[in-house]
Amino acid sequence: MRDTTSARFRAAIEAGDLDAAVLLCTDDVRFRSPVVHRPYEGRDALRAILGAVFTVFSDFRYVAEFSGEAGHVLEFTAQVGDREVQGIDLLRFADDGRVRELTVMVRPLSAAEALRDRMGPLLGG
């Protein structure tokens, strides 16, 4: 079931289908940001964050996947302004197969800073 969820999550993100991606997550999904210390909790928070990501990232594409007992990793590349971003979406699953935690990591630091600077105003920070 986890492989199915990760494949559906990837397809939803690649299609820009925010609602489909969020519906694959638990009600209390936890989102760990690459630029904010405290995690965001719940589907509403995740919907707002993903909506901002769809606005800020351009040329987004997944380039690799890795899977194991602890979770599933989707590697991506994108542009934030003039910065090339390389990152991962780390998915961890609930017992029912839905995503219970999404952790995003990005590099290099200059891209993370550009992401922070562009996302902040969209999320009220």
Side-chain angles (χ1 to χ4, degrees):
M1 176 169 274
R2 293 174 177 182
D3 288 340
T4 301
T5 301
S6 59
R8 291 173 60 205
F9 183 86
R10 176 180 179 159
I13 295 297
E14 289 176 330
D17 190 342
L18 177 62
D19 291 331
V22 171
L23 283 174
L24 293 168
C25 301
T26 61
D27 292 339
D28 62 347
V29 62
R30 178 175 280 188
F31 176 83
R32 295 186 185 278
S33 166
V35 296
V36 176
H37 174 71
R38 194 169 39 121
Y40 295 90
E41 307 235 355
R43 281 185 174 173
D44 290 341
L46 181 61
R47 181 175 276 108
I49 291 162
L50 291 179
V53 166
F54 287 162
T55 299
V56 170
F57 279 176
S58 61
D59 300 324
F60 180 92
R61 65 187 182 282
Y62 285 117
V63 295
E65 292 187 54
F66 309 91
S67 192
E69 289 299 316
H72 193 89
V73 176
L74 298 166
E75 181 183 359
F76 65 85
T77 62
Q79 289 289 129
V80 176
D82 66 348
R83 300 288 180 206
E84 185 175 323
V85 177
Q86 179 185 25
I88 63 164
D89 289 341
L90 171 58
L91 308 174
R92 296 192 188 272
F93 303 98
D95 290 339
D96 66 1
R98 292 183 297 160
V99 176
R100 71 170 165 80
E101 187 173 300
L102 170 57
T103 301
V104 177
M105 296 181 213
V106 298
R107 64 163 303 281
L109 177 59
S110 61
E113 291 170 337
L115 181 62
R116 176 201 60 211
D117 294 347
R118 291 181 180 238
M119 293 277 293
L122 295 174
L123 297 173

